[in-house]
Amino acid sequence: QVQLVESGGGSVQAGGSLRLSCAASRSIFSINTMGWYRQAPGNQRELVATITSGGSTNYADSVKGRFTISKDGSKNTVYLQMNSLKPEDTAVYYCNVDRARYWSGTSVRDVYDAWGQGTQVTVSS
């Protein structure tokens, strides 16, 4: 069973900072890509940032220079440091794991697309 738990969301004023965390199941021993997506009411879910097992990162143009994604492989945790927040960053932020391999008892199983429950980020002007 794969579980993703996000934390760190909250309300801040424009220009402030937040740091999101996403902890994946400790039974996972291989993850291709972890990332953050966000969705505001009435909008489509959009990519924010991703990081591969090798450490390569990718960012949406709207957050480049302001957000930083990082990970701690030993803890199966991914972070999103968000600086210089803008009101348009307001959304529910979701953690995603793409193509992971994990232990289930003595068996190895694969998951190709897992999502957390989301954490709310609200930026006021």
Side-chain angles (χ1 to χ4, degrees):
Q1 184 176 2
V2 173
Q3 183 178 0
L4 305 177
V5 180
E6 301 106 329
S7 62
S11 298
V12 297
Q13 293 184 342
S17 298
L18 286 172
R19 187 172 187 256
L20 306 183
S21 298
C22 173
S25 303
R26 299 300 298 271
S27 60
I28 296 174
F29 62 88
S30 178
I31 299 174
N32 181 41
T33 304
M34 298 186 74
W36 291 95
Y37 294 72
R38 66 187 182 187
Q39 186 170 20
N43 294 338
Q44 299 179 10
R45 185 172 298 185
E46 64 177 355
L47 171 73
V48 177
T50 61
I51 185 166
T52 69
S53 60
S56 297
T57 58
N58 183 44
Y59 297 92
D61 289 340
S62 60
V63 305
K64 287 181 179 178
R66 300 188 298 120
F67 292 9
T68 301
I69 189 170
S70 61
K71 66 181 179 68
D72 183 342
S74 65
K75 298 180 179 179
N76 284 349
T77 301
V78 64
Y79 307 94
L80 185 67
Q81 179 66 47
M82 304 185 293
N83 298 326
S84 301
L85 284 162
K86 304 175 181 179
E88 51 263 44
D89 295 320
T90 296
V92 177
Y93 284 69
Y94 296 92
C95 178
N96 172 261
V97 169
D98 174 48
R99 195 159 33 130
R101 180 160 285 186
Y102 64 99
W103 288 105
S104 180
T106 58
S107 300
V108 175
R109 298 185 181 276
D110 296 304
V111 62
Y112 295 94
D113 193 22
W115 296 89
Q117 81 285 356
T119 184
Q120 177 71 47
V121 171
T122 302
V123 184
S124 60
S125 60

